[in-house]
Each structure stands twice: as C-alpha cells, then as structure tokens.
Amino acid sequence: MDSTIGSQLQTCKPSNGMLGNPAQNGATILDSNAPPSLVAADATLGRHLARRLVEIGVKDVFSVPGDFNLTLLDHLIAEPGLKNIGCCNELNAGYAADGYARSRGVGACVVTFTVGGLSIINAIAGAYSENLPVICIVGGPNTNDYGTNRILHHTIGLSDFSQELRCFQTVTCYQAVVNNLEDAHEQIDRAISTSLKENKPVYISISCNLPAIPHPTFTREPIPFSLSPRSSNKMGLEAAVEAATTFLNKAVKPVIIGGPKLRVAKACEAFVELADACGYPIGVMPSAKGLVPEHHSRFIGTYWGAVSTSFCAEIVESADAYLFVGPIFNDYSSVGYSLLLKKEKAIVVQPDRVVIANGPAFGCVLMKDFLQALAKKVNRNPTAFENYQRIFIPDGVPTKSDPKEPLRVNIMFQQLQKMLSSSTAVIAETGDSWFNCQKLKLPEGCGYEFQMQYGSIGWSVGATLGYAQSVPDKRVISCIGDGSFQVTAQDVSTMLRCEQKSIIFLINNGGYTIEVEIHDGPYNVIKNWDYTGLVEAIHNGEGNCWTKKVRNEGELIEAIGTATGEKKDCLCFIEVIVHKDDTSKELLEWGSRVCAANSRPPNPQ
C-alpha cells in the first residue's frame, strides 16, 4: 500500500525532525474548490515546482540568477514558505544545497543554463558521492530554440543543447528536460520522487519561457507524492538473520562498526537498537562520525586502521567477527588499503544487501529491517568490550604551554572541544581538520559533517551556509584550512545576509598541509592573505560580524569567550596562526600510507 511522502519521510526523518514535513507555515496549496479564474492564474509550472519543494520539506533554495532562470525564480520566491538564498557563485550554491540536505534530508539549488550548470556540477558530483538528495534546477533555453540550429549564448557555440545534460547524466540519478508543458508535471514529480527514493541528486532543466504559463495539468490542488514504501523480501530477511545469528553467536569477541551508509538507509536508530542488545563494543568509520552516538556506554571510537582512536583498531582487528553496517572501503578510509581485516570474519550490511564472510549473500534485505530483526535474536556478548576496558588508558592531554607561546593545533582543538554541546554542530573541511575534528568527542545532539568520499577542498564554506540555514537553533562551528578557504571564501557574505551566527576557525598554516604530507612540492605553498581583513571587507559594515586574529593560547581563549559571550549573536571569524609543519600525528601516518598507495608501480603485463 502506497503512502504519501510526508508520512513516509516522517518515519525516517533526522533527529531535528524537519525532513518531509507537509506544507505548512503559510505554504500555499491550490484550492480545488476555488473559482476557475483564480485557479488558472496560479496554475503555472513555476508555482507547481515551488509547492512541490515546500511539500518535501525544502524551505530555502540556493541560487545564482541568470537570464534563463529569472522568471522561474520569480515564481519560486512568490511561494510562501520558500526563501531564495542568493549565493556568490554556483559552486557554493551547490555546496550549500549539500549542507542543507545533510541536516534537512533534501536540498535544492537553481542556476542558469550551461555556464551555471557546468559551474555547479562539481558540487552535485560531491552530493552524489555522499548519497544526498539534491534537486538541481537549471533555467534552460526557450522552447522555440530547440531543433532550430540556432546558436545561443552561454553555450559552447554549437546548436546542440545537450552538452549540459550529458555532463549531468553521470552525477545524477535522473534527468528531466522540461521543454513543453504537456508532460512537465509528470517530469518534475518523477525527478523529485526519484531523488528521494534513490538518495541522490537529480537534474531538472526548465525552459525559460514556461514557468509563468498556466496549464490545465496544474489547475488542481497538487496530489501529494506517493512513494511505494520499500520492504524486505520476507524469506530473504529471515534467512539473512538466521545466518548472521549463527555466525555471530559462534564468535568469542565480536564487534560492530557503523559506516556512512547508515544515513542513506535511515538506520541509525536501528543500529543503536542492535548495539544495545548485542553488548558488543561500538566503533565508527571516519566518514560516519556523527551518525553513531558517541555518548553510548560502549563506544570505543573511530576505526581508521593505523590512525584509529587509541585502542579501537586493536579491538576491531583482533576480533573474531566484525559486523560492518553501511561501510565504504576506499583508499582513504582504508588508509592506503592497509586495514588488517579478513573477509571470512566479516558480516557486511549494505542498505539493501547482507553478505556473510565469503558467502552467502542475501539481496532485497533492507538494513533497517535486518538490524531490528537481528537485535531480537543475537546473544549478548560483552567479551570484546571487557577486553577494551582492560587495555584502555585515557587520552593524554597536550603538554602545557605558556599562554603567550605560539599556538599549537592540538591546543586549539583542546579548547574547541570545550565549546561543543547539543546546540552546536561541527563542519570539518578536507585537510588536517579531518583528523583533528575526528578526535573531538561529540556530546549527545551535537551535529557533525564532513565530505570524505569526494574530498573537494572549499566544500565547507558553502556547506556551512546551507547547514546553518537549515538548523538556525544550532551554532555551527567550522574548521577550515587557509588553502580551502581561498577556493570559496566569497559566500561568507551570504552568511551575513542570512544573519547566520556560525563560528569559523580559519587555520592559517600557509598552504595545502594535507597534500604536503602525501607528496610535498612548491605547489603546496599558497599566497598568504589577511583573512580577517578580507572578512571585514566582505562585512563592509552590513550585518553582524566579528573577527579576531590569534597567535597564542591566551588570545584563543579570549576570542572563544567573546564569540560565545557578547558576540554570540554574530557571525564570528577567528583566524588561527599556526606553524606550517604543525599537523596531527594521524595525518603524518595517513599521508605516508596514501602516498605509498598512490605511488605503486604498474603491475607487469
């Protein structure tokens, strides 16, 4: 039996409770009983798309205007409950939709044809890699120009307008080119539904002359989406649970590790349910930090091979059975393919598939169903966690320094740890922030996001904008390296326009430190900026902004006190000056192993 999107998404929404709420807060819904004249005036493609976005839980769209999308933007902003957030460039608009989707469950962005589309495509590719539903909307050419051999501006000078579409085909799960009104309703609904079902971005191109034209297909009140709820094959589920139970109950010291696909499977609560029942120690893969509760009594940290949390890898790799739930094993998460795991000891649970050791495999088994069923049958076995408690030694603390000594990165993150609470969220940029933020202990309710699979530097500026826009009740704390910030710095101005109150820590160490530790060269050194001066110039006296440059622990403590005290209602930008060679020990180890993996010679042919 089908269910509406609103009700279905309510059952799998994130903890902030926002995803999939039906249209509300003033959102307009067509009244099927209204007089025909009134219905016809409002029965346009543009308003239909706007209503659909509101219906699935989107309240903000991130856009860059261009002549092909201007009329469409008029209709989107005319919809109550839908706000347009104008960004400085298309790349940041895409990153913002990515960050928004991480918190809210779905995001949307609007750009213009080709010059806008090809600019945003890198961000859409990142959202695809991270399994995020992002509705990428492009204002396309006038319907009369298709098939005419005309050459249009914003194109590469060919009369074939398909270049943008062909580029998006590889980084979206569905593409709709809307250049007539007859099937526009169907194409838009199918694209949005596909994005929500597949948890991937979709591409919708809408001809620039269509959004304002009334059409009979839009005259009635939009019928709510109907998504067939996915369900497991009953026999397959029973067989998978039986096989997994037999496998795990034979083990002496099993462990359970959460992976990033917990998000796409909407199985975080089911994971905790199983963890509570089984008694195993709980670890998390680095790209899943924030999806597994770190306040759980048996949480042992991040499993990341040689750069794992202390004592975590030892417990995981010495186990005689490991249950990996939603993992992605790539060269980064495996630290250059150096994990000491054996396939015959592993159960791997993917969103719709379970593989036990070297076989058998069970398809059409949903992760959430499997975890809940397994929790009811598996024997409780705390042996591995008891072993962990025997060997565990509490983390050391950085050596004490004079408050006026040059600031060290480990001191900075020691102070940042004290800022975290249920009303904060952390955004970690690609680079050494990955490793330092990974060591932060997240309180219950504290959000955490980073882009590990795609690892696009500069992602965090736009993601901070989008994430903060979706959760105004949280204070977002972003850790961004100077090299990454130089890529996307402009949209700090959009944060100010939106009256956001994030705290940005700009780590100024003179270059691309993560690249230095993989393979050094002169290309890793960048031109130093006066970053606080740049943000002051962007501020330009409009909006609430406070900046500070710090060079030692005393200045840092004072700056944090100001940012969380008298300037708590401001966007705060703290530039932290550190030595160019001051990195985490994890990055040094990880960098050398990734370098070794990258530099493997060709196999003999």
Side-chain angles (χ1 to χ4, degrees):
M1 180 178 179
D2 287 357
S3 61
T4 63
I5 279 188
S7 62
Q8 177 169 324
L9 295 185
Q10 281 293 104
T11 66
C12 53
K13 62 185 178 183
S15 58
N16 61 32
M18 291 196 216
L19 171 60
N21 291 334
Q24 53 188 352
N25 297 332
T28 300
I29 298 296
L30 282 177
D31 183 357
S32 58
N33 297 316
S37 59
L38 294 179
V39 173
D42 201 27
T44 63
L45 183 158
R47 294 302 297 278
H48 175 77
L49 176 59
R51 291 188 181 100
R52 282 305 196 214
L53 293 176
V54 171
E55 183 182 11
I56 63 174
V58 173
K59 291 186 176 181
D60 306 89
V61 292
F62 302 90
S63 70
V64 177
D67 58 332
F68 286 123
N69 70 14
L70 299 178
T71 303
L72 176 61
L73 288 174
D74 285 341
H75 284 73
L76 294 181
I77 64 177
E79 178 67 24
L82 192 62
K83 183 178 180 180
N84 178 63
I85 308 295
C87 297
C88 297
N89 59 54
E90 292 87 358
L91 180 60
N92 275 337
Y95 287 153
D98 172 312
Y100 193 90
R102 288 167 182 266
S103 172
R104 201 168 186 85
V106 61
C109 47
V110 184
V111 295
T112 196
F113 187 58
T114 306
V115 289
L118 298 190
S119 181
I120 203 172
I121 199 167
N122 185 54
I124 299 303
Y128 188 97
S129 75
E130 300 277 326
N131 298 298
L132 298 170
V134 172
I135 316 298
C136 182
I137 303 161
V138 175
N142 187 291
T143 59
N144 297 300
D145 290 324
Y146 281 92
T148 61
N149 281 329
R150 291 173 179 158
I151 294 176
L152 296 184
H153 67 289
H154 289 342
T155 69
I156 58 173
L158 300 177
S159 57
D160 178 4
F161 303 156
S162 66
Q163 181 203 12
E164 179 183 79
L165 170 64
R166 286 182 279 118
C167 291
F168 271 94
Q169 284 174 336
T170 58
V171 295
T172 56
C173 66
Y174 186 85
Q175 307 82 38
V177 177
V178 180
N179 54 19
N180 71 83
L181 288 170
E182 296 298 325
D183 64 351
H185 185 292
E186 177 186 358
Q187 288 213 67
I188 290 170
D189 285 6
R190 182 174 295 173
I192 293 174
S193 297
T194 303
S195 181
L196 293 170
K197 287 188 290 187
E198 300 294 328
N199 288 284
K200 296 283 189 182
V202 292
Y203 164 87
I204 304 175
S205 172
I206 297 178
S207 288
C208 59
N209 59 329
L210 295 184
I213 302 174
H215 191 270
T217 57
F218 302 122
T219 57
R220 295 177 299 186
E221 178 179 344
I223 297 172
F225 281 112
S226 181
L227 291 181
S228 298
R230 300 181 65 203
S231 59
S232 298
N233 177 285
K234 186 177 180 181
M235 292 182 64
L237 174 62
E238 291 174 355
V241 171
E242 185 64 33
T245 301
T246 302
F247 184 89
L248 293 170
N249 287 348
K250 287 180 179 178
V252 176
K253 44 185 180 177
V255 299
I256 180 171
I257 309 295
K261 290 186 180 179
L262 277 167
R263 186 206 302 271
V264 67
K266 299 177 176 63
C268 295
E269 291 183 4
F271 179 89
V272 175
E273 184 179 334
L274 173 59
D276 288 340
C278 68
Y280 306 166
I282 306 162
V284 63
M285 296 187 76
S287 51
K289 186 177 178 70
L291 300 179
V292 172
E294 299 185 9
H295 60 276
H296 196 283
S297 60
R298 289 192 307 284
F299 182 76
I300 64 172
T302 300
Y303 175 62
W304 202 352
V307 296
S308 299
T309 303
S310 297
F311 310 106
C312 179
E314 291 81 358
I315 293 299
V316 172
E317 293 178 348
S318 65
D320 55 349
Y322 9 81
L323 179 61
F324 278 91
V325 183
I328 294 178
F329 295 108
N330 60 21
D331 53 337
Y332 273 15
S333 67
S334 67
V335 197
Y337 313 112
S338 64
L339 301 183
L340 300 179
L341 300 175
K342 295 183 178 180
K343 189 176 180 181
E344 60 268 22
K345 294 182 179 181
I347 296 178
V348 177
V349 186
Q350 295 295 6
D352 55 5
R353 186 174 180 81
V354 177
V355 180
I356 298 178
N358 292 314
F362 303 90
C364 299
V365 175
L366 300 186
M367 180 188 292
K368 183 178 179 181
D369 296 341
F370 175 79
L371 298 179
Q372 291 175 331
L374 185 61
K376 294 178 174 65
K377 299 200 69 173
V378 71
N379 293 341
R380 188 174 182 84
N381 185 347
T383 303
F385 184 67
E386 291 168 356
N387 290 344
Y388 171 77
Q389 290 179 306
R390 292 186 187 97
I391 67 172
F392 175 73
I393 299 173
D395 290 340
V397 295
T399 55
K400 191 75 175 171
S401 64
D402 187 287
K404 294 185 179 180
E405 284 182 18
L407 185 63
R408 301 197 309 270
V409 171
N410 54 22
I411 294 290
M412 171 194 161
F413 279 89
Q414 182 186 36
Q415 295 299 330
L416 196 150
Q417 174 70 63
K418 300 174 184 177
M419 301 172 66
L420 303 186
S421 70
S422 60
S423 59
T424 61
V426 177
I427 304 287
E429 175 60 81
T430 300
D432 199 23
S433 291
W434 273 3
F435 301 91
N436 286 301
C437 287
Q438 194 69 222
K439 291 184 283 187
L440 294 173
K441 293 177 174 60
L442 302 181
E444 184 175 3
C446 181
Y448 185 91
E449 297 293 344
F450 77 136
Q451 190 196 57
M452 186 173 185
Q453 174 59 40
Y454 202 57
S456 183
I457 66 168
W459 162 85
S460 62
V461 176
T464 296
L465 166 63
Y467 193 97
Q469 189 64 24
S470 72
V471 283
D473 57 324
K474 282 187 181 287
R475 194 94 189 265
V476 178
I477 300 170
S478 291
C479 299
I480 308 176
D482 50 352
S484 297
F485 187 73
Q486 288 193 9
V487 179
T488 50
Q490 307 95 311
D491 270 283
V492 168
S493 68
T494 310
M495 299 179 196
L496 288 168
R497 289 177 67 189
C498 294
E499 301 180 340
Q500 294 182 359
K501 302 168 186 177
S502 300
I503 303 174
I504 296 175
F505 287 94
L506 188 286
I507 304 169
N508 184 348
N509 56 11
Y512 300 120
T513 302
I514 191 169
E515 312 293 2
V516 168
E517 303 309 331
I518 296 174
H519 182 95
D520 199 6
Y523 30 75
N524 291 326
V525 179
I526 62 175
K527 171 70 175 67
N528 194 34
W529 292 0
D530 178 1
Y531 294 98
T532 54
L534 173 67
V535 173
E536 288 288 355
I538 291 173
H539 174 216
N540 197 27
E542 298 177 6
N544 293 323
C545 181
W546 178 77
T547 66
K548 183 68 176 178
K549 195 186 299 277
V550 303
R551 293 181 171 83
N552 57 55
E553 184 179 9
E555 293 176 350
L556 176 65
I557 292 173
E558 182 181 351
I560 290 174
T562 302
T564 56
E566 62 181 286
K567 299 296 182 181
K568 67 180 186 302
D569 293 325
C570 291
L571 178 73
C572 296
F573 184 90
I574 302 173
E575 179 182 352
V576 183
I577 311 296
V578 296
H579 193 277
K580 67 181 182 68
D581 293 325
D582 186 355
T583 68
S584 64
K585 71 179 183 66
E586 289 82 6
L587 174 57
L588 297 177
E589 173 77 18
W590 179 90
S592 63
R593 289 178 180 270
V594 170
C595 176
N598 288 350
S599 58
R600 289 168 295 162
N603 288 326
Q605 298 299 313

